[in-house]
Each structure stands twice: as C-alpha cells, then as structure tokens.
Amino acid sequence: MSPILLTVNSIEVIYDHVILVLKGVSLTVPEGGIVALLGGNGAGKTTLLRAVSNLLKGERGDVTKGYIEYRGERIDRLTPSELVKRGIVQVMEGRHCFQHLTVEDNLLTGAYTRGSATQTRADLDKVYAYFPRLKERRNSQSGYTSGGEQQMTAIGRALMANPKMILLDEPSMGLAPQLVEEIFEIVKDLNRREGVSFLLAEQNTNIALRYADYGFILENGRVVMNGPAADLANNEDVKEFYLGLSTAGRKSFRDAKHYRRRKRWLA
C-alpha cells in the first residue's frame, strides 16, 4: 500500500464561532492517489478543502477539534504560503484567475515560491505541454478566455508551484461535458506521470468516480459513506441518490418523496 500523504482526523469546523459546518470528519489521501469528495451543494466539501489549505480564516472559520497531518506532521497551524512551499496547493472553485493579466502572467504567479528562473521556464514549458491551448492563448488576457481555458490556467498555475498535492474544488463547474472530460483526463495524466496526488471536491459524482481511486461522500458536514471508487459507483444507494439511477432505471422528480424517505440512511 502507498504511504499516507494527508490525514484529516475527526475535525470540526465552525464559522463565526457559532455555525458548525463539519462534524467529526476523517479521511486519508495516499501518496500518488486521487481521492474524491462527493456530495450535494452545501455538504461541506469546499469547507474541508479550505480547512486543509488553511484558508478558513478569510471567512471567519476555524478548525476547533481534531487535527490535519501532511507526511505525519501537523499542518493545521501553518499559513497558506507555508503549505504551498511544502507542496500543497489549492485550485479554488470558480478558477479565480487574475482577469487583467495574460494567461502566461497568471501562470507565472504560481511560481513565486521558486527561486530559479531556469526552473520556472522549464515548469512553464511543462504546463504548456499538458495544456497546448494555453500556449496558443498565452498573450491573451485571462478575462477574455473561455471557462475551460481559465480552469486550465488555474490548474497550470498550481503546477508552477511544483506541488505534491493539489486540492481541486469543483473543476467541472460551468464547463461543457467535453471540456470536463478533457480536464479530468489531464488530472489523471498529471497523477500518473508527475505523481501529483489529488483531493478533489466534485458534485458530478459520475465523472469523479470514473477518475478517482477512492471516494468519500459528505452529507450535512459528515462523512456518510466511503470506499473504493468502483465500489461506490456500483452501490445502489449512491446510484439512486447521486447518479439518478436505481435497479428500476433512471429516477424522476415524481419520486422525490420516496427519495426523502430512503435518504434516512444518511442520518
């Protein structure tokens, strides 16, 4: 078995000293693995990623219980910049590119922790090899590129920091299905060729389970199910609640009452 890269142990997250968002969440990410965080909107996926990358303070959030370890060392009190230097980089939901900068300048902002200009140029060439479209658009303002190109820019910017782990938040949001496939193929390629581990939050359960090795399903701030991605994809409850399928075929909205009744297994 691969060594454990990231350990989240029974953490609780509270916003504004009042709102309990995550309740006793635990998970692990093996080195070289792709782990998916699944669940509906508001389940706590983004909060969990921000807890790992220590970006909660900006939204008045705190990890009040439990701990987070990276390579066996506590990291929940480190600053985001210190985490980047250790190899943990987050790609935020919604891309968050610098709209007024060119694609290439956006990519170069990801290399601010790197000391060598030669290495930075080599990393930039590597990003362009994975994302040929960015090389074509490298002199274009990011604000005038497509959503797919901005998502590629955000992932490429993370790669410029030479990460060991990327926290990827909703990479499929707002993208056409063909582009979603392209993004996930690149994620798989980066994982296989570069050895980058991924912890990705995704509402598109179907595609996430196709590319991930392992999955955790969050509901109301708790992990309600976890297991190998193939097992989750074949689980009847997961098929019904998250894929819209069951042994009787595709579900319809007329079954909403049945859905709420059956969903008690998540409590």
Short mmCIF file of all heavy atoms in Angstrom, two decimals, residues 55-104:
data_model
loop_
_atom_site.label_atom_id
_atom_site.label_comp_id
_atom_site.label_asym_id
_atom_site.label_seq_id
_atom_site.Cartn_x
_atom_site.Cartn_y
_atom_site.Cartn_z
N LEU A 55 -7.33 28.13 4.55
CA LEU A 55 -7.91 29.36 4.01
C LEU A 55 -9.21 29.73 4.71
O LEU A 55 -9.95 30.59 4.24
CB LEU A 55 -8.17 29.18 2.51
CG LEU A 55 -6.93 29.07 1.62
CD1 LEU A 55 -7.34 28.77 0.19
CD2 LEU A 55 -6.09 30.34 1.68
N LEU A 56 -9.50 29.09 5.84
CA LEU A 56 -10.75 29.36 6.54
C LEU A 56 -10.78 30.73 7.21
O LEU A 56 -11.85 31.33 7.37
CB LEU A 56 -11.01 28.29 7.61
CG LEU A 56 -11.39 26.89 7.11
CD1 LEU A 56 -11.43 25.93 8.29
CD2 LEU A 56 -12.73 26.92 6.40
N LYS A 57 -9.61 31.22 7.61
CA LYS A 57 -9.57 32.47 8.38
C LYS A 57 -10.21 33.63 7.63
O LYS A 57 -10.84 34.50 8.22
CB LYS A 57 -8.13 32.82 8.73
CG LYS A 57 -7.42 31.79 9.60
CD LYS A 57 -7.96 31.78 11.01
CE LYS A 57 -7.13 30.85 11.88
NZ LYS A 57 -7.69 30.75 13.25
N GLY A 58 -10.04 33.61 6.29
CA GLY A 58 -10.59 34.69 5.49
C GLY A 58 -12.10 34.72 5.50
O GLY A 58 -12.70 35.73 5.11
N GLU A 59 -12.73 33.63 5.92
CA GLU A 59 -14.18 33.58 6.00
C GLU A 59 -14.64 33.37 7.44
O GLU A 59 -15.73 32.85 7.69
CB GLU A 59 -14.71 32.45 5.10
CG GLU A 59 -14.38 32.70 3.64
CD GLU A 59 -15.04 31.69 2.72
OE1 GLU A 59 -15.57 30.69 3.24
OE2 GLU A 59 -15.04 31.92 1.51
N ARG A 60 -13.79 33.72 8.38
CA ARG A 60 -14.10 33.66 9.82
C ARG A 60 -14.44 32.23 10.24
O ARG A 60 -15.36 31.98 11.02
CB ARG A 60 -15.23 34.62 10.16
CG ARG A 60 -14.90 36.07 9.83
CD ARG A 60 -16.07 37.00 10.11
NE ARG A 60 -16.29 37.10 11.56
CZ ARG A 60 -17.27 37.84 12.08
NH1 ARG A 60 -18.09 38.53 11.28
NH2 ARG A 60 -17.44 37.89 13.38
N GLY A 61 -13.68 31.29 9.70
CA GLY A 61 -13.86 29.89 10.07
C GLY A 61 -12.66 29.37 10.83
O GLY A 61 -11.54 29.89 10.70
N ASP A 62 -12.88 28.35 11.66
CA ASP A 62 -11.79 27.76 12.45
C ASP A 62 -11.99 26.26 12.58
O ASP A 62 -13.12 25.78 12.69
CB ASP A 62 -11.78 28.35 13.88
CG ASP A 62 -11.19 29.74 13.92
OD1 ASP A 62 -9.99 29.88 13.62
OD2 ASP A 62 -11.94 30.69 14.25
N VAL A 63 -10.86 25.54 12.58
CA VAL A 63 -10.87 24.13 12.95
C VAL A 63 -10.80 24.08 14.46
O VAL A 63 -9.79 24.45 15.06
CB VAL A 63 -9.68 23.37 12.33
CG1 VAL A 63 -9.68 21.91 12.80
CG2 VAL A 63 -9.73 23.43 10.81
N THR A 64 -11.89 23.66 15.10
CA THR A 64 -11.97 23.72 16.55
C THR A 64 -11.68 22.39 17.23
O THR A 64 -11.42 22.36 18.44
CB THR A 64 -13.38 24.19 16.98
OG1 THR A 64 -14.36 23.32 16.41
CG2 THR A 64 -13.62 25.62 16.50
N LYS A 65 -11.74 21.30 16.49
CA LYS A 65 -11.42 19.99 17.04
C LYS A 65 -10.72 19.17 15.98
O LYS A 65 -10.85 19.42 14.79
CB LYS A 65 -12.69 19.25 17.49
CG LYS A 65 -13.36 19.83 18.71
CD LYS A 65 -14.55 18.96 19.14
CE LYS A 65 -15.24 19.55 20.36
NZ LYS A 65 -16.40 18.73 20.79
N GLY A 66 -9.97 18.15 16.44
CA GLY A 66 -9.26 17.27 15.52
C GLY A 66 -7.96 17.88 15.03
O GLY A 66 -7.53 18.95 15.50
N TYR A 67 -7.36 17.23 14.06
CA TYR A 67 -6.09 17.74 13.51
C TYR A 67 -5.92 17.28 12.07
O TYR A 67 -6.60 16.35 11.59
CB TYR A 67 -4.89 17.28 14.35
CG TYR A 67 -4.71 15.78 14.43
CD1 TYR A 67 -4.00 15.10 13.44
CD2 TYR A 67 -5.23 15.05 15.49
CE1 TYR A 67 -3.83 13.72 13.50
CE2 TYR A 67 -5.06 13.68 15.57
CZ TYR A 67 -4.36 13.02 14.57
OH TYR A 67 -4.19 11.66 14.63
N ILE A 68 -4.99 17.94 11.37
CA ILE A 68 -4.67 17.62 9.98
C ILE A 68 -3.16 17.42 9.89
O ILE A 68 -2.39 18.26 10.37
CB ILE A 68 -5.11 18.75 9.03
CG1 ILE A 68 -6.63 18.99 9.17
CG2 ILE A 68 -4.77 18.41 7.58
CD1 ILE A 68 -7.12 20.22 8.45
N GLU A 69 -2.74 16.31 9.30
CA GLU A 69 -1.32 16.00 9.14
C GLU A 69 -0.97 15.81 7.67
O GLU A 69 -1.77 15.26 6.90
CB GLU A 69 -0.96 14.72 9.90
CG GLU A 69 -1.00 14.85 11.42
CD GLU A 69 -0.54 13.57 12.11
OE1 GLU A 69 -0.52 12.51 11.45
OE2 GLU A 69 -0.22 13.65 13.31
N TYR A 70 0.23 16.25 7.33
CA TYR A 70 0.79 16.05 5.99
C TYR A 70 2.15 15.40 6.16
O TYR A 70 3.02 15.94 6.83
CB TYR A 70 0.90 17.39 5.27
CG TYR A 70 1.54 17.33 3.91
CD1 TYR A 70 0.86 16.79 2.82
CD2 TYR A 70 2.82 17.84 3.69
CE1 TYR A 70 1.44 16.75 1.56
CE2 TYR A 70 3.40 17.81 2.44
CZ TYR A 70 2.71 17.26 1.38
OH TYR A 70 3.29 17.22 0.14
N ARG A 71 2.30 14.21 5.62
CA ARG A 71 3.51 13.40 5.82
C ARG A 71 3.82 13.21 7.30
O ARG A 71 4.97 13.27 7.73
CB ARG A 71 4.71 14.03 5.10
CG ARG A 71 4.57 14.12 3.58
CD ARG A 71 5.89 14.52 2.95
NE ARG A 71 5.78 14.77 1.54
CZ ARG A 71 5.80 13.84 0.57
NH1 ARG A 71 5.92 12.57 0.92
NH2 ARG A 71 5.71 14.18 -0.69
N GLY A 72 2.78 13.03 8.11
CA GLY A 72 2.94 12.76 9.52
C GLY A 72 3.18 13.97 10.40
O GLY A 72 3.38 13.84 11.60
N GLU A 73 3.13 15.18 9.82
CA GLU A 73 3.40 16.41 10.58
C GLU A 73 2.14 17.29 10.61
O GLU A 73 1.48 17.48 9.59
CB GLU A 73 4.55 17.18 9.92
CG GLU A 73 4.91 18.47 10.62
CD GLU A 73 5.99 19.23 9.88
OE1 GLU A 73 6.54 18.69 8.90
OE2 GLU A 73 6.25 20.39 10.27
N ARG A 74 1.81 17.81 11.77
CA ARG A 74 0.65 18.70 11.90
C ARG A 74 0.83 19.94 11.03
O ARG A 74 1.88 20.59 11.06
CB ARG A 74 0.47 19.14 13.36
CG ARG A 74 0.03 18.07 14.32
CD ARG A 74 -1.47 17.89 14.36
NE ARG A 74 -2.25 19.05 14.70
CZ ARG A 74 -2.79 19.28 15.90
NH1 ARG A 74 -2.61 18.42 16.91
NH2 ARG A 74 -3.55 20.35 16.11
N ILE A 75 -0.21 20.28 10.27
CA ILE A 75 -0.13 21.44 9.39
C ILE A 75 -1.27 22.43 9.61
O ILE A 75 -1.33 23.47 8.96
CB ILE A 75 -0.13 21.02 7.90
CG1 ILE A 75 -1.43 20.27 7.56
CG2 ILE A 75 1.09 20.21 7.55
CD1 ILE A 75 -1.63 20.04 6.06
N ASP A 76 -2.20 22.12 10.54
CA ASP A 76 -3.37 22.97 10.68
C ASP A 76 -3.07 24.33 11.29
O ASP A 76 -3.98 25.17 11.37
CB ASP A 76 -4.47 22.25 11.48
CG ASP A 76 -3.92 21.41 12.63
OD1 ASP A 76 -3.29 20.38 12.34
OD2 ASP A 76 -4.11 21.81 13.79
N ARG A 77 -1.84 24.58 11.71
CA ARG A 77 -1.49 25.90 12.23
C ARG A 77 -0.50 26.63 11.30
O ARG A 77 -0.04 27.72 11.62
CB ARG A 77 -0.87 25.78 13.63
CG ARG A 77 -1.87 25.29 14.69
CD ARG A 77 -2.96 26.31 14.93
NE ARG A 77 -3.96 25.84 15.90
CZ ARG A 77 -5.15 25.41 15.57
NH1 ARG A 77 -5.51 25.38 14.29
NH2 ARG A 77 -6.02 25.02 16.50
N LEU A 78 -0.20 26.05 10.16
CA LEU A 78 0.69 26.70 9.20
C LEU A 78 -0.09 27.70 8.35
O LEU A 78 -1.30 27.58 8.17
CB LEU A 78 1.36 25.66 8.30
CG LEU A 78 2.26 24.63 8.98
CD1 LEU A 78 2.84 23.67 7.94
CD2 LEU A 78 3.39 25.31 9.76
N THR A 79 0.62 28.68 7.80
CA THR A 79 -0.01 29.65 6.90
C THR A 79 -0.17 29.03 5.52
O THR A 79 0.54 28.09 5.15
CB THR A 79 0.83 30.92 6.79
OG1 THR A 79 2.08 30.60 6.15
CG2 THR A 79 1.10 31.53 8.17
N PRO A 80 -1.10 29.55 4.71
CA PRO A 80 -1.25 29.04 3.35
C PRO A 80 0.04 29.09 2.53
O PRO A 80 0.33 28.17 1.76
CB PRO A 80 -2.32 29.95 2.74
CG PRO A 80 -3.14 30.38 3.92
CD PRO A 80 -2.15 30.52 5.04
N SER A 81 0.82 30.14 2.69
CA SER A 81 2.08 30.24 1.93
C SER A 81 3.07 29.16 2.37
O SER A 81 3.82 28.62 1.55
CB SER A 81 2.70 31.63 2.09
OG SER A 81 3.00 31.90 3.45
N GLU A 82 3.10 28.85 3.67
CA GLU A 82 3.97 27.77 4.14
C GLU A 82 3.53 26.42 3.58
O GLU A 82 4.36 25.57 3.26
CB GLU A 82 3.98 27.74 5.67
CG GLU A 82 4.72 28.90 6.30
CD GLU A 82 4.54 28.96 7.81
OE1 GLU A 82 3.47 28.53 8.32
OE2 GLU A 82 5.48 29.43 8.49
N LEU A 83 2.22 26.24 3.45
CA LEU A 83 1.72 25.00 2.88
C LEU A 83 2.09 24.87 1.42
O LEU A 83 2.42 23.76 0.95
CB LEU A 83 0.19 24.93 3.04
CG LEU A 83 -0.33 24.76 4.47
CD1 LEU A 83 -1.84 24.83 4.48
CD2 LEU A 83 0.13 23.42 5.05
N VAL A 84 2.06 25.98 0.68
CA VAL A 84 2.47 25.95 -0.72
C VAL A 84 3.92 25.52 -0.84
O VAL A 84 4.29 24.70 -1.70
CB VAL A 84 2.25 27.33 -1.39
CG1 VAL A 84 2.90 27.37 -2.77
CG2 VAL A 84 0.76 27.62 -1.51
N LYS A 85 4.78 26.05 0.03
CA LYS A 85 6.19 25.67 0.00
C LYS A 85 6.41 24.20 0.32
O LYS A 85 7.39 23.60 -0.12
CB LYS A 85 6.98 26.54 0.98
CG LYS A 85 7.06 28.01 0.57
CD LYS A 85 7.78 28.84 1.61
CE LYS A 85 7.81 30.31 1.20
NZ LYS A 85 8.46 31.17 2.23
N ARG A 86 5.48 23.60 1.08
CA ARG A 86 5.58 22.18 1.40
C ARG A 86 4.93 21.29 0.36
O ARG A 86 5.01 20.07 0.46
CB ARG A 86 4.96 21.92 2.77
CG ARG A 86 5.78 22.55 3.89
CD ARG A 86 5.11 22.38 5.24
NE ARG A 86 5.80 23.18 6.23
CZ ARG A 86 6.25 22.71 7.39
NH1 ARG A 86 6.08 21.45 7.69
NH2 ARG A 86 6.86 23.51 8.24
N GLY A 87 4.27 21.92 -0.62
CA GLY A 87 3.76 21.13 -1.73
C GLY A 87 2.26 20.97 -1.79
O GLY A 87 1.75 20.17 -2.57
N ILE A 88 1.49 21.74 -0.98
CA ILE A 88 0.02 21.66 -1.00
C ILE A 88 -0.53 22.94 -1.63
O ILE A 88 -0.32 24.04 -1.11
CB ILE A 88 -0.54 21.50 0.42
CG1 ILE A 88 0.03 20.26 1.10
CG2 ILE A 88 -2.07 21.42 0.38
CD1 ILE A 88 -0.38 20.12 2.55
N VAL A 89 -1.23 22.78 -2.74
CA VAL A 89 -1.75 23.94 -3.47
C VAL A 89 -3.23 23.72 -3.74
O VAL A 89 -3.64 22.62 -4.14
CB VAL A 89 -1.01 24.14 -4.81
CG1 VAL A 89 -1.55 25.37 -5.54
CG2 VAL A 89 0.49 24.27 -4.58
N GLN A 90 -4.04 24.75 -3.53
CA GLN A 90 -5.47 24.64 -3.80
C GLN A 90 -5.84 25.40 -5.07
O GLN A 90 -5.39 26.53 -5.30
CB GLN A 90 -6.31 25.17 -2.64
CG GLN A 90 -7.81 25.07 -2.91
CD GLN A 90 -8.67 25.24 -1.68
OE1 GLN A 90 -8.16 25.27 -0.56
NE2 GLN A 90 -9.97 25.32 -1.88
N VAL A 91 -6.67 24.76 -5.90
CA VAL A 91 -7.30 25.41 -7.04
C VAL A 91 -8.73 25.72 -6.62
O VAL A 91 -9.54 24.81 -6.42
CB VAL A 91 -7.28 24.52 -8.30
CG1 VAL A 91 -8.01 25.21 -9.45
CG2 VAL A 91 -5.84 24.20 -8.70
N MET A 92 -9.04 26.99 -6.49
CA MET A 92 -10.31 27.41 -5.91
C MET A 92 -11.48 27.14 -6.85
O MET A 92 -11.32 27.10 -8.07
CB MET A 92 -10.27 28.90 -5.58
CG MET A 92 -9.12 29.31 -4.68
SD MET A 92 -9.41 28.90 -2.97
CE MET A 92 -10.60 30.16 -2.54
N GLU A 93 -12.64 26.99 -6.25
CA GLU A 93 -13.88 26.92 -7.04
C GLU A 93 -14.07 28.24 -7.80
O GLU A 93 -13.88 29.32 -7.25
CB GLU A 93 -15.06 26.69 -6.10
CG GLU A 93 -16.40 26.68 -6.77
CD GLU A 93 -17.53 26.58 -5.76
OE1 GLU A 93 -17.32 26.06 -4.64
OE2 GLU A 93 -18.64 27.03 -6.09
N GLY A 94 -14.40 28.13 -9.07
CA GLY A 94 -14.60 29.34 -9.86
C GLY A 94 -13.34 29.89 -10.48
O GLY A 94 -13.33 31.03 -10.99
N ARG A 95 -12.23 29.13 -10.43
CA ARG A 95 -10.97 29.44 -11.10
C ARG A 95 -10.18 30.59 -10.47
O ARG A 95 -9.02 30.46 -10.18
CB ARG A 95 -11.18 29.73 -12.60
CG ARG A 95 -11.25 28.52 -13.47
CD ARG A 95 -12.60 27.87 -13.52
NE ARG A 95 -13.57 28.62 -14.33
CZ ARG A 95 -14.79 28.17 -14.56
NH1 ARG A 95 -15.20 27.01 -14.07
NH2 ARG A 95 -15.63 28.88 -15.28
N HIS A 96 -10.79 31.76 -10.28
CA HIS A 96 -10.14 32.92 -9.65
C HIS A 96 -8.85 33.31 -10.37
O HIS A 96 -7.82 33.55 -9.73
CB HIS A 96 -9.86 32.64 -8.17
CG HIS A 96 -11.10 32.59 -7.33
ND1 HIS A 96 -11.70 33.71 -6.82
CD2 HIS A 96 -11.86 31.54 -6.94
CE1 HIS A 96 -12.79 33.37 -6.13
NE2 HIS A 96 -12.91 32.05 -6.20
N CYS A 97 -8.90 33.38 -11.68
CA CYS A 97 -7.76 33.90 -12.43
C CYS A 97 -7.71 35.42 -12.28
O CYS A 97 -8.73 36.07 -12.02
CB CYS A 97 -7.88 33.55 -13.91
SG CYS A 97 -7.78 31.78 -14.26
N PHE A 98 -6.53 35.98 -12.46
CA PHE A 98 -6.39 37.44 -12.48
C PHE A 98 -6.83 37.92 -13.86
O PHE A 98 -6.10 37.76 -14.84
CB PHE A 98 -4.95 37.85 -12.17
CG PHE A 98 -4.48 37.42 -10.81
CD1 PHE A 98 -3.59 36.37 -10.66
CD2 PHE A 98 -4.95 38.07 -9.66
CE1 PHE A 98 -3.16 35.97 -9.40
CE2 PHE A 98 -4.52 37.68 -8.41
CZ PHE A 98 -3.62 36.61 -8.27
N GLN A 99 -8.02 38.49 -13.91
CA GLN A 99 -8.66 38.78 -15.19
C GLN A 99 -7.85 39.74 -16.06
O GLN A 99 -7.87 39.63 -17.29
CB GLN A 99 -10.05 39.36 -14.95
CG GLN A 99 -10.98 38.48 -14.11
CD GLN A 99 -11.45 37.27 -14.87
OE1 GLN A 99 -11.99 37.39 -15.97
NE2 GLN A 99 -11.25 36.09 -14.32
N HIS A 100 -7.14 40.69 -15.45
CA HIS A 100 -6.45 41.72 -16.22
C HIS A 100 -5.06 41.27 -16.67
O HIS A 100 -4.42 41.97 -17.46
CB HIS A 100 -6.32 43.00 -15.37
CG HIS A 100 -5.51 42.81 -14.12
ND1 HIS A 100 -5.97 42.07 -13.05
CD2 HIS A 100 -4.26 43.24 -13.79
CE1 HIS A 100 -5.04 42.06 -12.09
NE2 HIS A 100 -4.01 42.77 -12.52
N LEU A 101 -4.59 40.11 -16.17
CA LEU A 101 -3.28 39.61 -16.57
C LEU A 101 -3.41 38.64 -17.73
O LEU A 101 -4.46 38.02 -17.93
CB LEU A 101 -2.60 38.90 -15.39
CG LEU A 101 -2.25 39.75 -14.17
CD1 LEU A 101 -1.56 38.87 -13.12
CD2 LEU A 101 -1.37 40.92 -14.54
N THR A 102 -2.33 38.48 -18.48
CA THR A 102 -2.33 37.49 -19.56
C THR A 102 -2.31 36.09 -18.96
O THR A 102 -2.03 35.89 -17.77
CB THR A 102 -1.12 37.65 -20.47
OG1 THR A 102 0.08 37.36 -19.71
CG2 THR A 102 -1.04 39.05 -21.04
N VAL A 103 -2.60 35.11 -19.81
CA VAL A 103 -2.57 33.72 -19.37
C VAL A 103 -1.19 33.37 -18.82
O VAL A 103 -1.06 32.77 -17.75
CB VAL A 103 -2.94 32.78 -20.54
CG1 VAL A 103 -2.61 31.33 -20.20
CG2 VAL A 103 -4.41 32.93 -20.89
N GLU A 104 -0.14 33.79 -19.53
CA GLU A 104 1.21 33.45 -19.08
C GLU A 104 1.56 34.14 -17.77
O GLU A 104 2.18 33.53 -16.88
CB GLU A 104 2.24 33.80 -20.15
CG GLU A 104 3.65 33.34 -19.79
CD GLU A 104 4.56 33.23 -20.99
OE1 GLU A 104 4.25 32.44 -21.91
OE2 GLU A 104 5.62 33.91 -20.98
#
